[in-house]
Amino acid sequence: MSGVHRLREEVTRRLRRLMRTGVPIVQCAVAAGLAWFLARHLFGHPQPFFAPIAAVISLGVSLGQRMRRALELVVGVSIGIGVGDVLISFIGTGTWQIALVVALAMSTAVLLDSGVVIVLQAASSSVLVATLLPPATAGGLTRMLDAAIGGLVGFVVAALLPANPLAVAHRNGRLVLGALADALRGVAWAVARQDPEMAGDVLADARKSQKSVEEFRTALEAGQEIAKFAPIRWRRRGDLERYETASTPIDRALRNTRVLARRALAALRDGEPVPRPLPALLEELAGAVVLLRDELASGVDPLQTREAARSVAKKSTVELLGEGDFSMQVVVMQVRSIAVDLLQATGLSRTEATAALPPLYPEAKD
């Protein structure tokens, strides 16, 4: 029975993965077929090989910056085809001819100050011209037009059959904010139990979170492009703007949490006393992160998060600093910084966020 259960789980996992990639698969299939149809029947090209290839590549090179990449693809293919057609017409096809064509096509792209995509497409296109599709088969201008048709079709299909720009943002946002909440909660447990080993594990996990932040930013760039060019996704712009507003403060909060975990580990190793309110304050801060995750996913303004973070900020008083030695004082200061980061993630300016903090050094009374 356990084997059947594992098989069912594996099948379910793969089906879910297929569902997540369903839109890109449909996009590529439709774009390839449409590019071939247009090049063959509208423009009369007998073998429009480059049209469906260009359509698929323009969709697949990157989720973000697709229009620029599609243009780079067309330019790269055109350079490769042009150089390949001219040279192969004179020197023929063979080992050294292919090597020469590839070198010259890539060199031409580099001399034009082109990006990586253009250089690589120039190389691959020149190889195709020199081997599978020698100049006698079709004219170079026809192939360049096929590449342009394919790149344009890929872009249009991406605009008319777009993926949900929020799906990837939600998924990556949950990962990043989950890592942040786990780190804060983990430090709270470690200092409450005065367990250096637990604090070390939390720090190790927190250091792995930067990759999730980078993937989160990439997902937002992709989503913004989709929402910009796809009419049926325009209504998602507001939700994406909330994520965009929160992304930089969330990154800072994670960095500050890594500092917090490192200083908490040092304090526990040195046997420094733990301020009594600190574990509960860290738990409360983790709860604010969870609120932010849920409110962003629900598409509402994160007002509950703002109040929760403001509550933590008000409790991070100067009296807490007097209860610990140096490393624990740094931990308390990082709590203040993270509270400010979360307030900014809800849309407040830095001035408005820092105003929620109690004064670090109260004014002396006369």
Side-chain angles (χ1 to χ4, degrees):
M1 291 297 292
S2 61
V4 173
H5 181 68
R6 285 196 299 270
L7 177 61
R8 187 182 295 114
E9 286 185 343
E10 181 65 17
V11 171
T12 301
R13 183 183 67 82
R14 296 192 180 206
L15 287 175
R16 286 176 179 169
R17 185 173 64 184
L18 178 62
M19 293 297 293
R20 286 198 300 268
T21 57
V23 171
I25 290 173
V26 171
Q27 285 179 332
C28 288
V30 171
L34 184 59
W36 174 276
F37 177 84
L38 292 175
R40 177 76 182 270
H41 298 286
L42 186 62
F43 290 88
H45 300 170
Q47 294 291 331
F49 178 84
F50 282 105
I53 290 293
V56 171
I57 294 177
S58 69
L59 284 166
V61 286
S62 175
L63 283 174
Q65 302 176 328
R66 181 168 286 151
M67 186 167 72
R68 181 177 65 83
R69 294 296 181 91
L71 179 61
E72 287 182 353
L73 169 76
V74 173
V75 173
V77 169
S78 299
I79 292 173
I81 292 172
V83 172
D85 273 335
V86 171
L87 288 178
I88 297 301
S89 297
F90 288 99
I91 63 178
T93 301
T95 303
W96 69 268
Q97 289 94 333
I98 292 174
L100 179 61
V101 166
V102 170
L104 290 177
M106 295 182 73
S107 298
T108 302
V110 170
L111 288 174
L112 292 174
D113 197 23
S114 302
V116 175
V117 173
I118 295 180
V119 174
L120 293 179
Q121 287 303 320
S124 59
S125 300
S126 64
V127 169
L128 288 173
V129 170
T131 55
L132 296 179
L133 299 170
T137 331
L141 182 60
T142 298
R143 293 169 182 170
M144 292 181 188
L145 181 57
D146 287 342
I149 292 170
L152 181 61
V153 167
F155 179 74
V156 171
V157 167
L160 298 181
L161 296 175
N164 184 350
L166 282 176
V168 181
H170 285 332
R171 185 164 63 249
N172 286 276
R174 282 195 297 269
L175 288 174
V176 171
L177 290 168
L180 177 56
D182 288 346
L184 290 168
R185 194 173 290 116
V187 175
W189 293 346
V191 296
R193 294 163 176 78
Q194 298 191 28
D195 187 339
E197 184 176 349
M198 181 183 292
D201 292 340
V202 172
L203 178 58
D205 290 338
R207 283 172 171 165
K208 301 174 184 176
S209 61
Q210 193 58 37
K211 181 180 179 182
S212 298
V213 174
E214 294 168 1
E215 291 174 348
F216 181 42
R217 289 186 178 278
T218 300
L220 289 180
E221 290 176 4
Q224 287 171 341
E225 183 182 88
I226 292 171
K228 180 178 179 181
F229 292 105
I232 68 173
R233 300 300 187 189
W234 285 347
R235 61 189 178 89
R236 299 295 189 184
R237 290 176 179 175
D239 294 336
L240 286 170
E241 285 176 2
R242 292 188 188 92
Y243 271 112
E244 180 62 28
T245 298
S247 61
T248 298
I250 289 171
D251 186 7
R252 286 199 301 266
L254 263 170
R255 295 174 189 273
N256 283 325
T257 300
R258 288 195 288 270
V259 175
L260 181 148
R262 186 167 63 249
R263 298 315 307 176
L265 174 60
L268 293 174
R269 284 176 174 170
D270 293 342
E272 294 185 17
V274 177
R276 286 166 295 176
L278 181 60
L281 207 57
L282 289 170
E283 288 276 8
E284 194 173 340
L285 203 55
V289 173
V290 173
L291 272 176
L292 179 61
R293 179 197 66 192
D294 294 342
E295 288 186 304
L296 288 176
S298 300
V300 298
D301 290 330
L303 301 180
Q304 293 184 51
T305 304
R306 184 176 299 171
E307 291 308 310
R310 185 175 279 127
S311 174
V312 174
K314 289 178 180 178
K315 294 174 184 176
S316 57
T317 60
V318 69
E319 285 78 10
L320 282 175
L321 295 175
E323 295 188 28
D325 293 333
F326 173 74
S327 289
M328 273 301 171
Q329 289 180 351
V330 174
V331 170
V332 173
M333 295 298 292
Q334 290 305 116
V335 169
R336 292 167 63 95
S337 295
I338 296 167
V340 168
D341 294 333
L342 291 182
L343 286 169
Q344 288 185 265
T346 68
L348 296 184
S349 67
R350 182 163 183 82
T351 301
E352 292 170 330
T354 54
L357 293 171
L360 190 57
Y361 299 105
E363 295 180 3
K365 296 181 180 179
D366 295 333

